[in-house]
Amino acid sequence: MEILRTVAELRQWSRAHKIANRADGVNTIGLVPTMGALHAGHASLIRAAKVSCSQAVVSIFVNPTQFGPNEDFARYPRTFEADCALAQAEGAGAVFAPPVEELYPAGAATFVEVEGLSKRLDGGSRPSHFRGVATVVAKLFIASEADRAFFGQKDAAQVAVLRRMVADLRLATEIVVCPIVREPDGLALSSRNAYLSPGERIQALALSRAIRQAQALVAKGERRAAALIVAAREVLAVESAIRVDYIELVDWATLEPVEVAAPGSLFALAAWVGATRLIDNTIVG
Ligand code: AMP
């Protein structure tokens, strides 16, 4: 597995693989963008990339522009050696881990702003978050010339923003969404779970319980957003360390609220567990 540090190296690696063995068929590149601290959720994306593309590259970059001024950029977990071991074990052909100046050269002044969607869900409490995400993912798509890029449904609002960006910029990279990977007890895997104290770890289970409660109501025929939201809020209210950021039923494409669940509706929530902000969601309808 190769470790690439510059955009030029990534582009060269990608082009070399696309033209290699051309007689054997079309060679495709799958990109898995991450911020590192890799876990089984990331591993599932790498496996999906390996299944559908002839080469997979994992980017590991803690992107400063998607963190707010009082957020956890400085203390975000950085576990590069272990990340490389995981990427290699899952069959990635390369890891792209650039220094910040490589993706944001001195004087960088170009940003990608997906209007509207970027203010919804997580964008409501993290005002410049999706601007940072869209900007770095556009840079990664352009640099890697990937045929497909693999994202988790865990960050469902991010998927909506990026699909809009790909459509609007007519980018050639296809977005593939993979299911949420959970701990056996239901907690969605997240690099930020490492911040939780043992007590908070137990209380954090309320997020997936709230999601399952909404799913159970939908299974019984409930479709009203208000009923699903109230039910989820009640589950979260039981835990003293939890403070709700949002609980919403939205159209997954537009992230606009819907009053009645329909095919393509996304039931999503974000909550603070102590000082750690976690998210979870399910597709309903
Ligand atoms: P991150 O490193 O947190 O920026 O995440 C990188 C990618 O991994 C994103 O597309 C996430 O949606 C995805 N991801 C994170 N956690 C999970 C999970 N539990 N299941 C599936 N995908 C995940």
Side-chain angles (χ1 to χ4, degrees):
M1 189 183 73
E2 290 184 51
I3 301 204
L4 312 170
R5 296 288 184 184
T6 67
V7 166
E9 284 168 6
L10 174 59
R11 189 168 283 141
Q12 193 179 17
W13 177 88
S14 176
R15 289 182 180 177
H17 283 292
K18 282 196 193 189
I19 53 175
N21 308 317
R22 217 27 192 280
D24 298 337
V26 179
N27 291 312
T28 50
I29 304 288
L31 169 70
V32 180
T34 82
M35 297 205 299
L38 301 186
H39 51 61
H42 300 112
S44 75
L45 303 184
I46 303 171
R47 280 198 295 279
K50 283 292 295 177
V51 167
S52 85
C53 300
S54 40
Q55 279 285 345
V57 54
V58 180
S59 64
I60 297 177
F61 183 67
V62 185
N63 175 35
T65 62
Q66 71 189 68
F67 289 80
N70 299 315
E71 293 185 352
D72 55 341
F73 174 71
R75 69 182 187 116
Y76 195 85
R78 288 161 170 89
T79 58
F80 187 66
E81 299 301 318
D83 292 349
C84 287
L86 183 147
Q88 181 155 28
E90 295 298 346
V95 159
F96 175 55
V100 170
E101 321 80 75
E102 182 66 16
L103 289 189
Y104 296 99
T110 306
F111 291 87
V112 177
E113 184 105 33
V114 180
E115 294 181 359
L117 279 81
S118 291
K119 300 295 170 227
R120 309 275 324 140
L121 297 188
D122 307 276
S125 50
R126 307 183 72 191
S128 57
H129 174 65
F130 287 128
R131 179 187 198 242
V133 170
T135 299
V136 80
V137 170
K139 289 175 191 245
L140 292 170
F141 283 12
I142 292 166
S144 68
E145 300 180 357
D147 299 278
R148 297 190 193 101
F150 297 77
F151 294 89
Q153 184 199 312
K154 158 104 184 325
D155 296 87
Q158 165 171 284
V159 166
V161 168
L162 295 176
R163 280 182 168 150
R164 185 75 250 172
M165 177 187 81
V166 165
D168 291 350
L169 296 182
R170 304 289 193 205
L171 297 177
T173 306
E174 178 194 348
I175 289 185
V176 181
V177 184
C178 300
I180 302 176
V181 177
R182 297 178 179 280
E183 300 280 9
D185 61 10
L187 181 69
L189 292 184
S190 164
S191 304
R192 290 192 167 98
N193 292 348
Y195 298 151
L196 300 171
S197 71
E200 289 169 347
R201 171 67 182 73
I202 293 168
Q203 296 204 28
L205 284 174
L207 274 78
S208 52
R209 264 205 310 277
I211 291 294
R212 286 201 304 277
Q213 178 66 15
Q215 287 170 332
L217 287 176
V218 170
K220 283 189 204 149
E222 182 60 78
R223 293 287 181 275
R224 293 167 303 161
L228 302 178
I229 292 167
V230 166
R233 197 175 289 280
E234 280 172 5
V235 173
L236 293 172
V238 170
E239 304 296 351
S240 58
I242 291 191
R243 184 164 54 84
V244 172
D245 180 355
Y246 66 76
I247 308 174
E248 286 195 54
L249 184 70
V250 300
D251 179 282
W252 195 9
T254 64
L255 302 183
E256 290 296 331
V258 296
E259 285 185 9
V260 178
S265 297
L266 168 73
F267 185 76
L269 56 84
W272 294 90
V273 184
T276 305
R277 187 178 173 283
L278 300 178
I279 57 177
D280 205 339
N281 69 76
T282 185
I283 308 297
V284 294

